[in-house]
Each structure stands twice: as C-alpha cells, then as structure tokens.
Amino acid sequence: MTQFVSAEEALKVVKSRHSVFIQTAAATPQRLVKALTARAPEVQGVKIYSIHTEGDCSYAAPELEESFDVHSFFNGGNLRHTRKNLNSIFVPMFLSEIPHLFYSGAVPLDVALVQVSPPDNHGMCSLGPSVDISISAVRTAKVVIAQVNPKVPRSFGDAQIEFSKIHYAVEVNEELYIAPQTETSDIEIRVGRNVASLIEDGATLQMGIGAIPDATLRALTGHKDLGVHTEMFSDGLVDLYKTGAISNRFKARMGGKIVSSFVLGSRKVYDFIDNNPMVVMMDAAYTNDSHIIRQNPKVVAINSAIEVDLTGQVCADSIGARIYSGIGGQMDFMRGAALSPGGKPIIALPSKTSKGQSKIVPFLKEGAGVTTTRAHVHYVVTEHGIAHLYGKTLKERVEALIAIADPEFQEELVRSSQKVLGF
C-alpha cells in the first residue's frame, strides 16, 4: 500500500551503506534529493547512482564523502560545479549497458528516488520525460519513493508504472527543470547545414541536445519521411515535427512512432510528449541496443566531441585526464548507424573551442579517453566541410581532417602530421 508522507519522512528509509538511485535530467526529484542530503549526519557509505541529474546535488560535495559515495555514469554541469574533480566518482559505461547492472543484480538497489505523474483512472503513473535507466531502477529497487507531480507529462511505452508499486509518495506541484536556451552562432548554423547535407529522405535520426543538433534539425525542414529513434531529444525536434518532415513510416522498429528514452528542454517538449501516442519512451537498454538501432534504415547518428585527432580518434568525455561529462550513448549509436543499411555515423563539432584552440589535433591530450575509436568514425563535420573517413588510410584521414580544420591551424597540423604518420 502506497503511503503519502513528507519527503523527510520518506527518506528515513535510507540507511548507512544502502544503494540509492536518483532519476535523470528534467525529472530529477529535487525535494527528495534535498531530503536525502539532509540525512548526511545520520548515514555513512550510502552509494548514490545516477546519470546526468539536474538541479541541486549537494550530496556530491567533497565534505560529504563519508556519508555519500557517488557513482556517476554521466556528469552534468551541476556535478562539475559541486565537485571540481570528478575522476573518483565517474563510472565509464555505455548507456545501453547500465540498465543491466540493475537487472542482473550486479548493483542491487535498496531505494529508487523518482518523479511521476499522478495516477490515472487505471492506477498508472508515468515517469514522464526520463525513462532511460530510471525504469530499470524502479523495477529492481527494494523501495521506490516518488514525488507525485501534476507537472510531469504522461508519456507512454516503458514510462508507465503502477502507483501501487510505489512505497512512499510525496505530493509536489513544481515545474520541471527547464534547460537554458542559447542563441545559435553562425558557426553552429554552418556545421548544422553541413550535417543536414548528409541526411537523405527516409533517414532515421539520432541526435542530442545543443546548438548543433538544433541547427541540423532546422536545416531539415524540406526533407520527407524522416524517422526518429534516439536516446534523447529536445525542442528542436518538436519544431521539425510540426513542419511535417517526420513521418516515421520507413522505420523497421516501432514504425510510425518517435522513440526515445528521455527528453530535456523547455515546457514545449514536455507538453509535446504529454498524452502523445506518437511518442514512445523506452528503457535505454532498448533504445541504445545497436542490434535494434541497425534494423532501421539510413540511421544517422549525430554526436559531438571535445577533440578529434588526425587519425579519427574521438574524445568526448574528458579534457586530458580530467573527466568532464561521460560516455553516454555515443558508441551505441555510432555502431548502430554504421551497421544500418545506408547509415551514417557522424561526429559534428566546431573547428575551434570557445578559447580559440583547434578541436582537430595531432594527438589527443595526455590522459584523454577514446570515447569512439578511429575504426568506428565514418564522418567528421565542422563548419569548414565534411571529412569522409570510411575505408580511408591514415594518410588519407589526416589530409581529410586537416582540410576541415580551422585555416588558422592547418599549417601547424600539416607539420605535426609527419609525427602522426611516423615519418
């Protein structure tokens, strides 16, 4: 029987050395997180598992290390702000594999903290914008504590859970996290147009959040019969859908449906998925399974990077040895797209950083992680053009990547290429 209690009362169930999951992104249950952090003086060694939360994450502060042992599969800005060094808390894993940690019992969860819509006439709630690895936590945790919030959109697919399966319910009425909106630069628009030039009618799209994915989507308004099978999407996809460019008619898996595992953006995207049978929110073990992805036609995977070396190695999770974000689903979709009939795995990025440094480099920084190997990368796109690397020798790759680097750095890259090629 579900009990309605305060957040403080509910979190008393968390004891020392328990394992606790916190739901993702827009659905991060802020009131439960604050009540959990308040338990710090009374608990020790509580393991916290999450991917990319938003809002307060004071539990991750270094001074609370004895109380909370954080395990983060992907780090957002809130964690970077709270804790300067993320290396000790980062768990490198493909997003597709994380649910199996919970399903297999390799990580037994004691408590799952989530946020859901109020129950409908059939006693069903929805995880709304964040199903991802959250549904695997709900299905396997011994105790489920949920904020019940009418602002949570009612999404379908794996998002649906029985209200009776929630042990403690905390009533709130609060807006979900709204991602900051930024202006798209001329450079990002040019990158987006170059990416869009690779996308054919009838393609199946995977894209993330950010200026380049949004710029790409804006450049696709003249396309026809696009499909969507992605790990996440934001406002830009809603705008493209309204133009009629997306029909999902050629998809082999869940034809006619937009398939995702979480959404993050403004109220626009949360309202779009609310009670929308066209959108199916699924477990990340499904959305990010390369065997599933590859069955769709012309899968275009659009991902970004911190830096790319002249042989095509991609670093997307660290700046040198310092962990910045995470692995996420990049490799899941890069491989799935490569195996899809007519698929195109794409790394898209500006040629320079905000500090004016080249993002195409002779060698990755010392200690940098290789998120995507040189063998998996088919296309690298900047505002200066497209480097098609598939089937090319290292020498041909070096030439193609220098050609799309910022002209300011091309001579230097040519000189460095001798070392890259072992001359």
Side-chain angles (χ1 to χ4, degrees):
M1 177 69 72
T2 304
Q3 297 182 49
F4 281 92
V5 295
S6 68
E8 294 71 24
E9 187 68 25
L11 268 296
K12 287 180 181 178
V13 75
V14 175
K15 308 296 183 186
S16 294
R17 285 167 288 283
H18 269 182
S19 294
V20 178
F21 171 80
I22 298 174
Q23 194 179 1
T24 310
T28 303
Q30 305 293 339
R31 195 172 299 184
L32 300 184
V33 168
K34 290 176 182 176
L36 172 66
T37 306
R39 295 275 291 144
E42 303 166 35
V43 297
Q44 286 188 327
V46 173
K47 291 186 176 182
I48 296 179
Y49 292 89
S50 66
I51 57 166
H52 192 162
T53 62
E54 295 289 358
D56 183 79
C57 61
S58 300
Y59 55 81
E63 59 268 25
L64 297 184
E65 276 186 329
E66 289 190 9
S67 297
F68 303 116
D69 180 11
V70 178
H71 293 63
S72 174
F73 300 104
F74 197 96
N75 307 296
N78 59 343
L79 265 179
R80 290 192 291 272
H81 177 76
T82 302
R83 192 179 186 123
K84 289 185 179 179
N85 187 339
L86 302 174
N87 290 39
S88 63
I89 68 172
F90 174 56
V91 183
M93 285 192 74
F94 298 136
L95 182 56
S96 59
E97 294 185 354
I98 300 171
H100 299 295
L101 275 182
F102 304 146
Y103 289 132
S104 69
V107 173
L109 292 174
D110 295 291
V111 181
L113 306 182
V114 297
Q115 184 162 207
V116 300
S117 66
D120 62 15
N121 293 338
H122 306 288
M124 300 297 291
C125 300
S126 175
L127 290 168
S130 295
V131 175
D132 43 74
I133 70 169
S134 302
I135 187 60
S136 61
V138 168
R139 288 169 175 168
T140 59
K142 295 174 185 173
V143 176
V144 177
I145 302 174
Q147 285 185 189
V148 180
N149 186 357
K151 297 290 177 64
V152 173
R154 188 176 300 281
S155 60
F156 300 115
D158 286 333
Q160 299 285 307
I161 62 173
E162 296 175 42
F163 182 62
S164 61
K165 297 291 178 65
I166 295 169
H167 298 83
Y168 298 99
V170 178
E171 291 185 289
V172 302
N173 190 344
E174 300 171 354
E175 184 54 86
L176 300 180
Y177 175 83
I178 303 297
Q181 302 295 304
T182 57
E183 288 293 322
T184 306
S185 70
D186 176 64
I187 288 174
E188 290 159 341
I189 290 170
R190 287 160 59 194
V191 177
R193 286 174 179 165
N194 285 341
V195 173
S197 72
L198 292 170
I199 299 173
E200 304 171 54
D201 288 345
T204 304
L205 304 180
Q206 176 261 329
M207 77 302 294
I209 189 173
I212 290 175
D214 282 350
T216 302
L217 292 170
R218 283 200 291 273
L220 294 175
T221 55
H223 280 60
K224 298 178 182 178
D225 292 321
L226 296 173
V228 180
H229 181 111
T230 183
E231 73 182 44
M232 69 89 62
F233 67 87
S234 190
D235 294 32
L237 187 76
V238 180
D239 295 334
L240 181 62
Y241 179 80
K242 289 178 179 178
T243 70
I246 296 172
S247 70
N248 295 291
R249 64 182 293 218
F250 292 116
K251 285 172 57 186
R253 302 298 298 245
M254 294 196 187
K257 305 290 185 182
I258 293 172
V259 177
S260 185
S261 76
F262 74 101
V263 301
L264 178 63
S266 73
R267 192 70 227 177
K268 178 194 294 186
V269 74
Y270 307 143
D271 288 342
F272 177 71
I273 69 171
D274 185 38
N275 279 315
N276 187 349
M278 185 65 67
V279 180
V280 184
M281 303 292 288
M282 298 296 291
D283 188 328
Y286 176 88
T287 59
N288 287 56
D289 184 339
S290 60
H291 174 70
I292 300 293
I293 296 165
R294 68 184 293 184
Q295 294 177 48
N296 288 314
K298 302 178 185 177
V299 174
V300 177
I302 307 164
N303 289 274
S304 195
I306 291 173
E307 58 181 0
V308 179
D309 77 12
L310 285 178
T311 70
Q313 293 187 116
V314 176
C315 174
D317 64 350
S318 68
I319 301 173
R322 180 169 67 88
I323 292 299
Y324 182 79
S325 54
I327 292 172
Q330 181 170 124
M331 264 301 304
D332 297 329
F333 276 93
M334 292 292 282
R335 191 59 181 152
L339 297 173
S340 160
K344 295 174 181 174
I346 299 170
I347 295 295
L349 70 169
S351 64
K352 293 196 295 187
T353 69
S354 59
K355 296 180 179 179
Q357 299 171 325
S358 180
K359 284 198 164 201
I360 295 178
V361 295
F363 302 97
L364 299 182
K365 292 183 179 65
E366 183 179 4
V370 177
T371 309
T372 299
T373 75
R374 57 174 72 114
H376 289 99
V377 177
H378 289 198
Y379 295 89
V380 178
V381 179
T382 72
E383 71 274 24
H384 299 294
I386 299 167
H388 186 203
L389 306 183
Y390 184 58
K392 303 294 176 65
T393 66
L394 290 184
K395 183 175 183 295
E396 291 169 330
R397 284 165 169 255
V398 166
E399 292 170 351
L401 286 165
I402 289 175
I404 65 165
D406 190 275
E408 177 186 351
F409 299 100
Q410 288 182 352
E411 284 188 22
E412 180 184 338
L413 289 169
V414 168
R415 289 193 296 271
S416 299
S417 67
Q418 301 301 306
K419 285 185 179 181
V420 174
L421 295 171
F423 298 151

